[in-house]
Amino acid sequence: MNDAVKRDVDDILKKYDRESNVRIWTGAYGKALRWISAFVSVFLIWMNMFAKLDERVRRPLFVGILIILVFLYYPAKKGAQRENHIPWYDIALMAAGSFCWFFYPANLQKIVGVGTRIQTVFNPGGIPFLIVFGIVGILVLVECCRRVTGIPIIVVASVFIIYAFTAGGKDLKTVIYNLFYTTTGVLGTPIGVCSTYIALFVIFGAFLESTGVSGFFIDFANCLAGWASGGPAKVAVISSALCGMVSGSSVGNTVTTGSVTIPMMKKIGYPSEFAGAVEAAASTGGQIMPPIMGAAAFLMAEMVGVPYSDVVIRAILPAFLYFLGIFLMVHLMAKKLDLKGIPREELPRFKEVIKSIYLLLPLIALVAMIMNGFTMATSAVYAILTCISVSMIKKEGGMKSLLMAFPLLPVFFMTFFSKSFPAGTFLGDNCITLCAFLSVAGLIANYIVSRENRKELPKVVDALENGTKNFLSVGVACGIAGIIAGVVTMTGLGQVLIGAIVGLSGGRLIIALILTMLCCIVLGMGVPTTANYIIMATTCAPILTAGMGMNMMAAHMFCFYFGIVADITPPVALAAYAGSAIAKAPPMKTAFNASKLAIAAFLIPYIFAFDTSMLFIDTGAIEVVTVVVTSIIGMLGVSAGIIGYLVSPMGVIYRILSAFGGVLMIIPGTLTDLIGIVIILAVYLSQKLKEKKLNKAVCG
């Protein structure tokens, strides 16, 4: 990426991604913040792997650290970035906010001892300091959220707090106690999950990016599809799906891969608004792509009460169909416009690209460890160690490269053999610790014996720093989402909402689903995906499960999907607007095109809401194969209907029939499958007949 393109990318990120508007620190100040951020990542790894801290100590410590880092990185408003400068009032807010959160764990036993009577202690001069600390701590956290993620989620949280005081009938002491001093408010499940799984997996993502795996994904996608009709668009879909496993930001993914793929799409003839939409839709889908799913998978596992591996398995087919739909549409559009691919001589050579396949080892290690029953924290840390090891392996191969790969052996051994040793034996009780020690020792030895690897050491610090910066937005959003969840728990609002929606829907699931979809999309406008999912999982998912009898996993997945598509749904379609900025296309046209391309995300949740076969719930092997095959054919029908091309251009009637037949095939069920395949076959044969007549006329 040349300097001009990099400047454009930075400008677009600053415009559409609040996380990119950071203070400018240079020289000694920049180095100090870099090392502080790296230390925070190491501290979190230590806290989750080795420290046995009470949750009421660990969570407020995490929030206090978040507040300090947010004020160090983010100014009060855009364009206020003076070099090496932080205003006095930011220092005061940072000190006051972090002190309040650190004060709680430092005086935990005394605070826990008084329970709800928090006004009776630390009140010299009649000032109930515990209540004051709670108010200040929450308000400073809200300001942090405003700086990092924006106003929308704060507005939602404010409405809930007003409800607690008014309709909920709660007084100030009760609200502060529940939101600040218990694990049902700010320090609830969202912050608990963020301070463990999400933070560690975000750090892992930073290490994975440092290995150059994103470049490998793009090169690999070029080898697979770059030469085909409409090749650059197919490369965008494949690379964004793969990069989405690493990146949790739809805007960041759009800008990063889009800076390469969008100009290529325009060059071969795709309309600019279509090119921007392809990248936006594909990048947004990265957040539903297993195994990481934009960090929401960990929250979903916690809230549904199932193993993380279950969430990943349930998400596979919907994610596959989402990307298949986009892939088919860009293919049909290429055929419709008669677009070619990239000449093979301009593409990376497969035999060269495949040499870097070892870069996938961290992902393989991560999935293998999770599937073998290791905790997510342990799996993430060992995946990080694997990333560092992988960065030492050289593509040229040879004995030296094998030596560099030695730290991978303990990870491999632990993943597949540590469960073989019975408890009570030395290896049974200490295998994980021993493997960690050997792996770290191997890494240190490699740095000592290899001058080239010593030059790469700053990349480890960079990855630790980036990991810290990347989880700030998720962390503050989880804190504010915890306020919403806390109000729902404290006031019993959940039961009120269930009664209201069930009454409004008349007990009909389809109406309840439509209302939930609209809530998810509206609340998702400008709200980070993870926070949006927490809000909907707290408020709407119980309506679908307790009120309408819907399967819990399907209900949570439904809320998750419609929270995601807010990034490409007008009027606040941040990912689509970022894509339009790169493509130099009208933003609204790009957003509407992205919504059409992502049609699977609007259809599939309704389908698995009524029939959980698509989520592999209570389904046999034959049913799974049937659902997969019919869904693929169905997505072809839907894609052809939207683009208006199958074998040849289609009129309005054929487009409607094709899309309708496709939807019927995606819906699980023998009758719908038979009707759908008949309709799609009829459209296809009619198209072939039309093409045959046209060819005869031309030849004649």
Side-chain angles (χ1 to χ4, degrees), residues 113-439:
V114 298
T116 57
R117 297 176 290 107
I118 54 174
Q119 78 279 11
T120 63
V121 294
F122 299 109
N123 58 348
I127 300 174
F129 275 100
L130 285 186
I131 295 177
V132 173
F133 289 163
I135 294 171
V136 172
I138 290 172
L139 288 178
V140 173
L141 180 64
V142 168
E143 169 60 12
C144 289
C145 187
R146 184 196 68 80
R147 295 183 182 211
V148 182
T149 65
I151 294 293
I153 188 175
I154 296 173
V155 173
V156 175
S158 300
V159 170
F160 275 78
I161 290 176
I162 292 170
Y163 175 87
F165 283 118
T166 55
K170 304 299 179 183
D171 59 17
L172 179 64
K173 181 196 74 172
T174 304
V175 170
I176 295 302
Y177 175 76
N178 281 278
L179 297 186
F180 192 88
Y181 292 106
T182 70
T183 53
T184 58
V186 172
L187 303 178
T189 298
I191 277 291
V193 175
C194 185
S195 62
T196 51
Y197 315 136
I198 294 178
L200 292 181
F201 275 83
V202 169
I203 295 168
F204 163 66
F207 271 94
L208 195 58
E209 286 181 341
S210 73
T211 65
V213 73
S214 295
F216 168 73
F217 285 149
I218 293 173
D219 287 343
F220 184 69
N222 268 301
C223 290
L224 283 181
W227 51 271
S229 178
K234 294 173 180 175
V235 170
V237 176
I238 296 171
S239 61
S240 293
L242 295 172
C243 291
M245 294 189 294
V246 182
S247 170
S249 168
S250 54
V251 175
N253 203 0
T254 298
V255 174
T256 304
T257 56
S259 61
V260 177
T261 59
I262 290 174
M264 291 168 60
M265 283 187 264
K266 290 176 64 178
K267 183 178 178 181
I268 67 164
Y270 279 110
S272 57
E273 63 270 17
F274 188 85
V278 169
E279 187 57 58
S283 295
T284 299
Q287 296 188 78
I288 61 174
M289 187 69 179
I292 296 178
M293 296 171 64
F298 313 117
L299 279 164
M300 194 180 297
E302 192 77 14
M303 290 188 164
V304 178
V306 299
Y308 164 78
S309 55
D310 272 17
V311 177
V312 172
I313 291 169
R314 310 301 176 214
I316 289 174
L317 182 55
F320 170 74
L321 292 177
Y322 178 90
F323 284 104
L324 176 67
I326 302 174
F327 189 90
L328 289 171
M329 279 186 254
V330 300
H331 172 74
L332 294 172
M333 178 62 85
K335 291 295 185 182
K336 185 177 182 179
L337 300 176
D338 194 26
L339 304 181
K340 308 301 179 187
I342 304 170
R344 287 185 183 270
E345 58 270 17
E346 295 179 17
L347 294 171
R349 295 172 64 85
F350 184 76
K351 67 179 182 180
E352 292 298 322
V353 172
I354 203 65
K355 289 181 181 179
S356 298
I357 198 169
Y358 63 87
L359 294 174
L360 298 181
L361 284 173
L363 276 172
I364 295 170
L366 174 71
V367 174
M369 291 184 71
I370 290 173
M371 295 302 178
N372 274 282
F374 289 95
T375 67
M376 287 185 277
T378 300
S379 303
V381 171
Y382 275 91
I384 290 170
L385 292 175
T386 307
C387 285
I388 301 173
S389 301
V390 158
S391 67
M392 297 178 179
I393 301 175
K394 309 307 173 201
K395 286 187 284 188
E396 291 78 10
M399 186 58 68
K400 186 176 180 181
S401 188
L402 289 175
L403 177 64
M404 297 299 110
F406 170 76
L408 294 173
L409 294 180
V411 177
F412 175 82
F413 180 83
M414 189 187 74
T415 302
F416 295 104
F417 298 106
S418 65
K419 301 287 185 180
S420 304
F421 302 107
T425 63
F426 176 77
L427 282 177
D429 295 340
N430 300 284
C431 188
I432 293 177
T433 304
L434 185 62
C435 287
F437 174 79
L438 290 174
S439 188

Side-chain angles (χ1 to χ4, degrees), residues 153 178-179 184-191 476-489 534-535 538:
I153 188 175
N178 281 278
L179 297 186
T184 58
V186 172
L187 303 178
T189 298
I191 277 291
V476 293
C478 284
I480 300 301
I483 292 175
I484 297 167
V487 170
V488 172
T489 303
I534 295 167
I535 296 168
T538 304

Side-chain angles (χ1 to χ4, degrees), residues 14 18-24 73-75 81 469:
K14 286 179 180 178
R18 294 186 68 93
E19 297 173 46
S20 300
N21 287 283
V22 295
R23 300 188 196 276
I24 300 170
Y73 274 111
Y74 293 92
Q81 300 98 320
K469 289 193 292 187

Side-chain angles (χ1 to χ4, degrees), residues 11-177:
D11 290 342
I12 292 168
L13 278 172
K14 286 179 180 178
K15 184 175 181 180
Y16 295 107
D17 186 15
R18 294 186 68 93
E19 297 173 46
S20 300
N21 287 283
V22 295
R23 300 188 196 276
I24 300 170
W25 296 103
T26 59
Y29 294 103
K31 289 179 181 177
L33 183 56
R34 178 171 180 259
W35 282 100
I36 289 170
S37 299
F39 172 77
V40 168
S41 284
V42 173
F43 174 74
L44 286 176
I45 292 172
W46 170 82
M47 187 169 68
N48 285 294
M49 286 294 290
F50 304 108
K52 305 297 182 184
L53 299 178
D54 189 303
E55 287 294 296
R56 293 166 297 180
V57 172
R58 186 171 60 79
R59 295 181 188 183
L61 277 178
F62 179 72
V63 176
I65 291 169
L66 278 178
I67 288 172
I68 292 172
L69 290 169
V70 166
F71 278 101
L72 288 176
Y73 274 111
Y74 293 92
K77 60 181 180 179
K78 290 183 179 181
Q81 300 98 320
R82 278 174 52 192
E83 187 172 319
N84 293 337
H85 173 75
I86 179 170
W88 67 267
Y89 51 82
D90 276 2
I91 296 174
L93 286 172
M94 175 178 68
S98 57
F99 173 81
C100 293
W101 289 102
F102 292 149
F103 182 86
Y104 176 25
N107 297 274
L108 179 64
Q109 296 307 319
K110 192 169 185 179
I111 294 172
V112 170
V114 298
T116 57
R117 297 176 290 107
I118 54 174
Q119 78 279 11
T120 63
V121 294
F122 299 109
N123 58 348
I127 300 174
F129 275 100
L130 285 186
I131 295 177
V132 173
F133 289 163
I135 294 171
V136 172
I138 290 172
L139 288 178
V140 173
L141 180 64
V142 168
E143 169 60 12
C144 289
C145 187
R146 184 196 68 80
R147 295 183 182 211
V148 182
T149 65
I151 294 293
I153 188 175
I154 296 173
V155 173
V156 175
S158 300
V159 170
F160 275 78
I161 290 176
I162 292 170
Y163 175 87
F165 283 118
T166 55
K170 304 299 179 183
D171 59 17
L172 179 64
K173 181 196 74 172
T174 304
V175 170
I176 295 302
Y177 175 76

